[in-house]
Amino acid sequence: MKKRVRYAQLVFWALPLAGILPGVVQAAGYPVMRPVEIKSAAHLKTPPVDVTVGGRVTSDNNEPLPGVTVLVKGTTIGTATDANGNFSLTVPTGNETLIISFIGFTTQEIPVNGRTNINISLVPDAKALEEVVVVGYGTQKKSDVTGALSSVSAKQIEQIPVQNITQALQGRAAGVDVAGGNFRPGEAPSIVIRGNRSISASNQPLYVVDGIPLAEGTGINDFNPLDIESMEILKDASATAIYGSRGANGVILITTKRGKEGRFSVNYDTYVSLDRAAVKLDLFNGGEFAELRRQAYRNTNTYNRTTTASRNSNFAYPDPESDFRLFSADPYMWESVAMGYEWVDQANLVPRMRPATAEEQARYGVAELPIYDASKVRTTDWQDMALRNAVTQSHQLVMRGGNDRIRAAFSGGYLDQQGIQPGQDFKRYSARLSLDYNVAKFLTFGGALNTNLNVQNYGGDIYGKFVGQLPIAVPYDNEGNVIQLPGGDINIYNPIRDVDLIINERRSTRIFGSFYGEAKITPNLRYRLNFGPDYRQFRRGEFQGALSSNRQGGTAWARNEQNQNFSYVIENLLYYDKKVGADHTLGVTLLQSSQKDRAESINITASDFPYESQLWYNLGSSNRSGPENYGSGFSTRTLLSWMGRVNYGFKDRYLLTASGRFDGSSVLAPGNKWDFFPSFALAWKVQEEPFLQGVNFINELKFRVGYGAVGQSSVAPYQTGGILGRTPYVWDESPAYGYAPSGQRLPNLRWEKTSTLNAGIDFGIFDRRLSGSVEVYQANTTNLILPRALPTVSGYSQVTQNIGATRNTGVELALTTDNIRRPDGLNWTTDFIFTKNKEEFVELYNGPVSDVGNRWFIGQPLGVYYDYKFLGIWQTDEAEQAKVYNREPGDIKVADLNNDQLINNQDLMVLGSNRPKWSGSINNTFSYKGFDLTFLVYARMGQLINNINYRPGLGGRYQGIQFDYWTPENPSNEFPRPIRNLDIQTYGSSLQYQNGNFVKVRNISLNYNVPQILAARLKASSLSVYVNAVNPFLFTKFRALDPEVTDPGTGSADIAQARGLSTKSLVFGLRVGF
Amino acid sequence: MNIKNKYKALLLIPFLSFGVFSCKDYLEEELVATLTEDYYKTEQGVEDLIESAYEPVRNKFQYEWAYTLWNFGTDEFTHADQPTHSYYNTYDTRLNTNNGVETFVHDVWAANYAGINRCNTGLEYIPTVAGVRTLTTPLAKTQRMAELRFLRGFYFFQLVQQFGMIPLPLSSTQGVQTEYLRAEVPEVYRVIMADLKFAADNLPAAQLQVGRATQGAARHFLAKAYLTRGSAVTDQRGQKPSDIDSAAYYADQVITATSQYTLENDYARLWDLSSYTNGVTAEKSKEVIFSAQWNNDPLLAGRYGNQTHLYYIMQYDNEPGMVRDIANGRPFRRLMPTDFAMDIYDRKNDSRFYKSFKLAFISNNAATIPKWTATNAPSPDLVGKNKFSVGDTAIYILVNTPQTAVSQQKINQARYALYPRYYRSSTGQLESAFASRAKYPTLVKFLDPFRQSVAQQQGVRNGILARLGETYLIAAEAYGRKGNYAKALEYINVLRQRAAYKAGEAKRPEYWSVEGGQRGDVSNTYSQIMASEELFTTNAASERYPTGVTSPQDRFIHFILNERSRELLGELYRWEDLVRTETLLVRAKAFNPDATAIQPFHKLRPIPQEHLERITINGQPLTTAQRQEQQNPGY
C-alpha cells in the first residue's frame, strides 16, 4: 500500500511537468513581431542617396541590446535594434548623425561619417540611478524624496510567484507587516504599516491604483500582481498627509504596467505551482487516543466493568470489558481497539492473558494481564484525507508599445489555484487595457481599465472537521456506506461528504477604471483631471446539503447574497513647477477631490429543498412557506477634500515639502465633519555640500525629518443619528416587530488623528557597495474612535467615541550590500530589512488609566491576551499546596498573583499580544551569466498566539494534538491529566497562549535568463525559466500549524483548526518576451 | 497669460464644473434604509418601541441560563451527564471564581436592562406623541404606559431576585453614562411595587393582541412581589406587615376574575404536544396569565428561540431501535430529577407526576432494532428475531422504589431497554440505572416537537411566566403565612382536585403496572390526595421535612414549597422560590446530592464582572476595594 502511494506521488509530481509543455507551446504560439520602423519619407529634404547603415548595439559588457532606438538626428528616420542588437537603416547622405538611445543608458550621438557598419557600445547612465519614484499626486526623483517610503519593483514581485499583491510585500519593505489570516485560496493576508493605531477603525492602508484611491475596504485582491510595474509604500505622515483622512494607516501606491514609447513587445509569463501543506498537526494515533480515553475514565474512577463484582476497581491497565464499554458506541471503533488485544473469544470479551511481571504485579495487584499492544490499534489518518497535493497555474500575457502620440498596453491573466483542502479553489480572470494619447502638444488623455472575474470556492472547514475525527473511528462501514457518527459520538459527525455537500462560492466582478486628461496651460502650469469609477459585484452562494456535517441529516440549506457597489473619485489638480535662478526650484500642487461610495445588498436564506442540485439558484423551490431569512441594505458615504502642497529646493541640497489638506466626511457628526491635516518635511542632501566634494567614499548622504497629521473616519455610515435595531416578537401567531434603540446618538463623533514625527537617513557609501536607510518615528494617534464598552445597565453595550490615544514608536532599517561585484559577471547582493514597532495605549477616557473591561491597558498594544498565567501542572508532591486552590495533582496550575490563596479575576494578567517584537528579512541574490539564485528568509519574533489547538479535548472525548498529558507515572508539566466529561478544564484557556516565534525560508528561486542569442532562435527577445521553492522551510517551536497565522480565532474549533494550514510549493515558471 | 493660454484655460471650465460639488449637500447623510431615534417621535415609532420592550421577556428561556439560574442547585433537579455549567448546581469554586471569565450572568443582566431602557425611553416619548390611530386618547396612552411600567417592574423583579442590590435607572439613557451604583434592595422593591401597581390599575383586563400585558398579569406579579418581599425574615427586602395581605388580595383578584382565567381541567392539557395547533391552543389556555411569545416562523425566533426544550431530555438516541428525531428532541442531558422530585408525589393518585414525565421512548429506527440472543431470549424460538418493531417501546424508564427493585436478569431479558430507578445487580447489590445520569425521567413541559429540523435549537413554543396554578399557590401561601390554614387548604385543594385522576378518566398505565392499582380502574383519586392540616401540623412522612423544620409555621413554608414542586416542577421558578423563602441552603443540602458546596452567600448571583469593570465613580474606574463593595459578598 505504502509503495503504491509513493508511486502515485511520483506520478503526481511528474504530471504537471508534462503539463507545462503543452502550456508553453500553446501560449507561445510564435507570434512574429517585427521591430516597428519609424519612417517618413515626406520629411526628406535632400535628394536621396540612400546609404544603408547597419551595425550592432551592445552594452558595455558586450551583451547585445535589443530594442534600442536609432534615430537620425534632425529627422524622424529611425529604427530599433532587433533581438541580436543589430540594426539597419537607410540614410539620405551618409553624413548624418545617429542618436542612439535606450532607457537606462546614456544617449550617444555618433556621426556616420560615411561608414556603413557602426558598432556602438552603450554605457549605463549614471543618472539611471536617479530612480524616479511615485509619490502622492506625482513623481519625484528618489534622491529628492523628503518622506519615508519603500519601493517594491516588478522584478521583486516576479521573484516569488504570488496569487495576490499583498503577499508580494511580505519581507520586502521595512515597517510593513504582512500576516496571513488563513491560507485559503483567494484570501489575501492582512497588511499593517508601522503597527496598529486604531481600534474600531480599519488599520488597512489606503491603496492608490494609478492615482485613484480605492474605496474603503475593497482591497487589491482583484488585481493581478503581474500587472504591476512598481509599488511605493508611503509610511510617515509627511508623505501620507496629502491623502489626508485616508492616509492614517499608510498608503500603498500601485503603478500598473503601461504602454511605452518604443517597440511593440509581447511578454508571456506562466507558472505551475505544486502545493502541499507546509506543516501538519501531530495528532494522537489510535492506540494513543484509546489510552487517553481510558486515562480520562480512570481519573474519574469510571474505568471499570459494570457487570461484575469488581465494580469498584479501576483498572490501571487496558481491560477488554471496560474498553468495550468505552469504545462500543460504534462497532467499527470497537473493532479498531479490539485489534490491540489477542483474543480467546472476542464475542464474549475473553482476551488471551499473559503472566504479569513482578513490577506489574506490584502496580496492578494481579497475576495475569490481557495481552495488549497499543501499536496494533487501528488508526485512521483523517488528516491525510483532508489534504491534497494541489496544482496552481497562472498565465499572463502583456502586450505593449507605442509611439510619440499613442502608447497602449493590454494584458490578460488567468490564475487557477487549487486549495490544498479539497473543495477549495480560486480562479481569477483578468484583463487590462491602458491607453495614453497625446492629442496635442499641450493635451494628453489616457486611461486604464481593469476588469476581472474572481471565482472563489471558499468551501467548508474541511481540515478542521477532519482533524477533529477520532483516529480509532473509520469513515465507511464494511458495505462502503458512510458512517454518520464515526465513533458514535453525537457531536462528531462524519465530514466525509462535506467536500461535495458544503459549497460556499464567492463570485466577484470588478471593473475599475482610471482616466485622466492633462493639459499644459503654460510651460510651468499643468492641469489634470482624474476620474476613477469602480464597479464591484459580489455574490456569495452558500449551500449545505442535508447529509453534510452542518445539517446532519436535516434539510438542505442555502443562501444567496448579492452586493453591488459603485464608487467614484473625481479629482481636479493644478501643478506649477518653476526654477527661479540657479538655486531655487519650486513645485506647487493644488487638489480638489470628491469621492462617493454607494453600496446595495440583498440576501435570501432558505432551507428544505425538493432537489439539492439547485444549490442557491432556485431558493423558491423550498418546501417551506417562505425563506428562513431575507433582507436588503443600502448605504452611501462621501468624502470631499481640498489640498495644497509646496515642494521647494534650494541649491539641490535643501529640500522642503509642506502640504495641507481639508477633508470632510459624511459619516461624521454634523459640525464635526471637516478637519485640517498639515504636514511638512525637510531633507538635507549632505553629499552635495562643498565640504564633502572631496570625500569620495560617500555617494549619498541625506538627512530627512518630517511631521504630518492624518485622519481616519472609518465608521459605518448613519451611526451618528442614534440608530434603531429591529426586534422580533409575536402576538399570538402574528409578527410583532419592534424597534429598539441600538446605538446612541453620537453628536460629537469627529476625526481620529495621527501625527507622526519621522527622521531618516539615506546613505550610499563605498561606490554604493553599502546603501540603505534608517528611519525612526513616533506616531501619536489621538481622538481614537473607540467602541467603548458601556455598563449594560444603560441599555447599550457600547458606544463609539473619540477618546484616548495610542502611540507607535519604531525603528526601520533597510540595507543593501553589494558583496561581490566581479567583472566576470558574478554578483552577490544582500538586502536586509529590519522592523521594530512598539504599539501602546497612552491614554483612555480617564487619562492614563487602563480599562480592564475593554482589555485596554496603558503601555500595552491593542488587543492583548488577558488571562490567567499558566505555570505548569500540579505535581504529586505539591498535593497539599494544590488543595489550597481546590486543585489536585495533574490539574492546571496558574499564577496566584496577589497570593491570596484564591484564583479569581484579580489574578488575570496581560500575557502578551500577537504583535511581533520585531520582524526582519534577508534576501540574497547571486547572479552569474544569466543565472540568478535568490533566497529570502523571513522572521517574526516575540508574538504570542492564541490557538485553540493548544487547549485539546482533555475529556477523552475529542481528538487533539499529541500532547504530553500528566499521569502519576508521567509527571508532565505541560498538559493536565485527562478527566472524563471535562473537555475544557478549569483555567484551560491559559494553555492557549503560545510563543509564535518563527523563521521561515520564504523562497528559494533559481532563474535562468536564456542568452539572447539562443532566445532569438525562438524569435524571442528574452526568455527565462525558473524554478522556485516557496515556503520550503519553517523553523519554530510552535506546534499548532503555521505561526504566521497570528490570530486563528477561538470561535469555532473547526475554523480555528483550519486556519493555520499553510502551503509550501514548488513552482516552475517561464517568462518569454517578443 | 497670453491669449492662447487663456483660450486653453477656457477648455477647463467643463472639467471643473464636473468635479466640484456644493460642499454642504454632498456630505449630508440621507437616511434611506436606516432608522434613527427620530422615529420615536411618531406614533408608529412609539408603538414599535413598546413592542421591542417585550422582547427581553424571552430572555429567561433563550439559553442555558434558563435552567442554570432558575433550576440548578435546587432540591428539584440536579445536573445530568452533560455537565455544562454544572457549577451552578454544585456551587463549587468554579462558580465563585469564573465570574471574571464567563459572560453568562452578564447576558441575562444586559437583556433585562436593555428592556428597562426601552421602557424608560417609551415612557418619555408616549406623552409627547400626537396620536392618529392608536394613541389618540389619554386613556390609550395611559394603557401603553401601564404596559411599559409592567415590563419595567417585571425586569427589575427578575434582576433583584437574582442579584439583590442592583442599579435602578428610571429614565432613558442619554449620552454616555457609566455611573451606576447599586440601590438598596428595599428601594428596588419600592419601584417594583409602584410600577406593577400602576400597571394593575391602568391595564385593561384583556388586550386585543394576545401576549400583551393585562391587568391580571400585573396583579399576579404584584401578588408575587408582595409575597416575595413579605417572605423575608432575615433578609432585608423592605418587608412590611401588610405585604402578605397585599399578596393575598391581588392573588384573589386574579383568581376571582374567572371570566379571564380558569384552570385547565386536565393538567396534561397544559403541555399538549399532539399537534402544533393544539400546542397553540394550550399556549392560549385560560390558565396562562403571561408568557414569552414565540411561534414557528424562524424569522420571528430571534437569535435563540426558546431553547428550554433541549435541557431536560435524557439520552435516548444511542439506544437500539432509536434514532434522534424531531419528536423526541435533542438530548442535551443537562438536568435530571432528584429523588425528592420523584418522591414528593403520591405517584399513584396524583396524576401530575406521570403527566409531567416522559418515561417511554417509541422505536423509530428499524435499522438498529436488537435481536434476541440465546442468553436473553424468553423462549428459544425467538433467538435471532427482532425484539420489537418500529412503533413499539424501545426504552422504558421505570420509577420504582427500593422495595420494588427489579433484578438484573429482568433487565437483561426485557424486550426493550429497561432503566429502573432501582435494581439488584447479579451480586444482589441495590443499584440505580439513573446513576449514569444519562437515563432518567424526561420532563415533558418544555419538549418541542414543532421545530423544523432535528438540529434546530430555536424552539417555537411560548415560555410560560405566570399561570393561574401558581396564583393559587401564591394565595395559599399568603393565607397560610397569616395562619389561615383553612383558606390556604381551600386553594391547594382546588389544585389537588385538578391533579387527581377524574372519574372516568383513563389512568396512566403505570397506575397498575408500577403503582399497584387496578387495571381499568377509572375512579376519582381526589379523596386519596386531598390535603389536610395534618400535612404540616404533624411531621408527615410524605412531606419529607428537613431536619430542624419543626414548627407548624416552618412546616407550612416547606409544605407549600413541596406543593409548588408538585404543581410547578421544573417550570423555572424554583431557585427564586427557595431564595425567597430563605430555604435554599437547607433544601439544596437536604435534597440535592450534588449541591454539597453551597454556602449562605450563594443566595445571590455574582454581579457580572463586565459591569464592575465598566462603571465609574466620579468618572474614575473602580478600585479593587470599590469593586468588591459593588460585588455581592462571597464572590
Side-chain angles (χ1 to χ4, degrees), chain A residues 787-800:
Chain A
R788 175 186 179 182
L790 287 180
T792 45
V793 176
S794 64
Y796 302 93
S797 57
Q798 64 172 54
V799 65
T800 309

Side-chain angles (χ1 to χ4, degrees), chain A residues 357-380:
Chain A
T357 63
E359 192 202 333
E360 286 167 344
Q361 286 203 22
R363 208 155 119 205
Y364 306 136
V366 289
E368 278 194 311
L369 287 174
I371 301 179
Y372 175 78
D373 180 354
S375 67
K376 288 190 178 148
V377 173
R378 175 173 55 187
T379 300
T380 306

Side-chain angles (χ1 to χ4, degrees), chain A residues 728-733, chain B residues 53-62 150-151 154-155 158 210-213 217 221 283-284 288-295 300-301 305-308 446 459-467 572-573:
Chain A
Y729 204 67
V730 181
W731 301 137
D732 191 4
E733 290 293 284
Chain B
Y54 276 90
E55 189 228 12
V57 304
R58 286 175 162 186
N59 176 262
K60 185 176 181 181
F61 305 95
Q62 278 175 326
F150 168 81
L151 291 169
F154 173 85
Y155 295 132
Q158 205 153 267
V210 178
R212 281 195 193 268
F221 281 102
E283 287 174 345
K284 286 193 283 185
V288 176
I289 298 170
F290 189 62
S291 58
Q293 307 263 304
W294 274 279
N295 70 355
L300 296 163
N306 179 347
Q307 300 207 358
T308 46
F446 296 100
V460 307
R461 295 185 53 214
N462 288 354
I464 297 176
L465 290 160
R467 65 177 172 91
L572 307 178
Y573 305 116

Side-chain angles (χ1 to χ4, degrees), chain A residues 440-443 519-523 527, chain B residues 1-15:
Chain A
K441 264 186 188 162
F442 70 95
L443 196 60
K520 223 174 211 170
I521 301 164
T522 72
Y527 164 74
Chain B
M1 211 183 264
N2 59 29
I3 302 265
K4 199 175 159 196
N5 284 336
K6 275 185 188 159
Y7 173 66
K8 279 187 209 165
L10 281 178
L11 280 175
L12 300 177
I13 290 167
F15 293 129

Side-chain angles (χ1 to χ4, degrees), chain A residues 27 35 112 187 211 285:
Chain A
V112 176
E187 296 289 285
N285 68 26

Side-chain angles (χ1 to χ4, degrees), chain A residues 490 521 527 624 628 638 718 722 724 731-733 737-739 741 744 790 792 794 846 853 886 903 905, chain B residues 5 12 26 29 35-37 40 48 51 93 97 106 173 175 210 276 284 293 299 324 452 609 613-614 619:
Chain A
I490 194 74
I521 301 164
Y527 164 74
R624 299 275 159 73
E628 278 195 358
T638 48
Y718 315 119
L724 308 186
W731 301 137
D732 191 4
E733 290 293 284
Y737 287 112
Y739 277 96
Q744 285 181 281
L790 287 180
T792 45
S794 64
N846 293 311
N886 268 308
I903 302 297
N905 49 52
Chain B
N5 284 336
L12 300 177
Y26 194 68
E29 282 199 322
L35 282 177
T36 70
E37 265 187 47
Y40 295 150
D48 283 355
E51 293 191 343
T93 49
T97 57
H106 185 237
T173 306
V210 178
Y276 183 68
K284 286 193 283 185
Q293 307 263 304
L299 292 172
R324 186 183 286 198
Q452 291 185 343
Q609 187 66 18
E613 286 170 346
R614 294 173 188 177

Side-chain angles (χ1 to χ4, degrees), chain A residues 269-596:
Chain A
D269 277 16
T270 183
Y271 65 78
V272 174
S273 170
L274 313 172
D275 310 326
R276 284 196 299 168
V279 268
K280 289 202 245 177
L281 288 173
D282 279 331
L283 299 166
F284 284 119
N285 68 26
E288 291 161 345
F289 180 78
E291 188 57 24
L292 169 76
R293 179 170 289 186
R294 284 185 203 112
Q295 199 60 36
Y297 275 70
R298 284 180 193 131
N299 286 334
T300 48
N301 287 324
T302 44
Y303 182 63
N304 51 26
R305 317 178 197 204
T306 46
T307 54
T308 64
S310 57
R311 152 169 194 102
N312 293 320
S313 74
N314 201 24
F315 301 103
Y317 52 86
D319 168 66
E321 224 174 293
S322 306
D323 270 7
F324 184 74
R325 224 161 47 78
L326 266 56
F327 300 108
S328 58
D330 166 9
Y332 292 91
M333 174 166 71
W334 168 239
E335 199 180 297
S336 302
V337 177
M339 288 176 187
Y341 289 99
E342 287 184 27
W343 294 104
V344 175
D345 177 0
Q346 187 176 339
N348 287 309
L349 306 177
V350 184
R352 206 174 297 273
M353 303 293 278
R354 65 175 172 83
T357 63
E359 192 202 333
E360 286 167 344
Q361 286 203 22
R363 208 155 119 205
Y364 306 136
V366 289
E368 278 194 311
L369 287 174
I371 301 179
Y372 175 78
D373 180 354
S375 67
K376 288 190 178 148
V377 173
R378 175 173 55 187
T379 300
T380 306
D381 191 344
W382 293 90
Q383 177 167 231
D384 219 37
M385 290 183 227
L387 295 171
R388 64 177 172 186
N389 291 329
V391 182
T392 299
Q393 52 172 322
S394 162
H395 304 276
Q396 159 92 343
L397 191 68
V398 182
M399 296 184 270
R400 40 186 183 165
N403 56 28
D404 58 345
R405 298 295 294 269
I406 291 183
R407 298 172 302 281
F410 168 80
S411 73
Y414 169 64
L415 170 74
D416 179 358
Q417 184 187 9
Q418 263 183 3
I420 56 172
Q421 297 182 54
Q424 301 182 0
D425 56 60
F426 178 64
K427 286 194 179 73
R428 178 174 55 220
Y429 308 84
S430 57
R432 200 172 167 281
L433 182 68
S434 76
L435 197 71
D436 299 279
Y437 181 33
N438 299 342
V439 182
K441 264 186 188 162
F442 70 95
L443 196 60
T444 309
F445 282 108
L449 200 62
N450 276 286
T451 58
N452 75 287
L453 169 66
N454 291 354
V455 183
Q456 181 188 23
N457 264 314
Y458 193 86
D461 279 301
I462 299 295
Y463 183 78
K465 279 182 176 143
F466 273 75
V467 297
Q469 299 294 310
L470 304 182
I472 46 179
V474 294
Y476 300 102
D477 68 13
N478 292 340
E479 281 78 50
N481 303 314
V482 172
I483 300 175
Q484 302 268 66
L485 302 172
D489 190 314
I490 194 74
N491 282 1
I492 309 178
Y493 199 90
N494 196 339
I496 202 94
R497 285 178 288 221
D498 285 3
V499 173
D500 303 315
L501 294 182
I502 297 185
I503 303 170
N504 182 344
E505 190 198 75
R506 297 159 184 206
R507 212 178 156 85
S508 61
T509 315
R510 184 171 191 175
I511 302 170
F512 171 76
S514 58
F515 304 99
Y516 72 92
E518 191 171 306
K520 223 174 211 170
I521 301 164
T522 72
N524 296 328
L525 184 67
R526 282 183 299 139
Y527 164 74
R528 185 181 168 101
L529 172 72
N530 283 334
F531 175 56
D534 186 359
Y535 172 81
R536 304 180 299 284
Q537 163 75 30
F538 174 82
R539 189 269 283 139
R540 188 201 328 256
E542 283 185 82
F543 177 79
Q544 297 172 359
L547 291 173
S548 67
S549 67
N550 288 14
R551 304 299 289 173
Q552 309 202 346
T555 54
W557 174 97
R559 188 209 314 267
N560 190 335
E561 181 190 336
Q562 309 251 358
N563 292 291
Q564 205 185 70
N565 294 68
F566 180 72
S567 316
Y568 68 79
V569 177
I570 298 172
E571 293 174 335
N572 291 289
L573 283 150
L574 275 176
Y575 296 100
Y576 181 76
D577 294 293
K578 180 131 183 130
K579 209 167 164 110
V580 184
D583 290 339
H584 306 274
T585 52
L586 179 69
V588 177
T589 310
L590 297 173
L591 162 86
Q592 182 276 328
S593 159
S594 41
Q595 181 169 345
K596 183 166 188 169

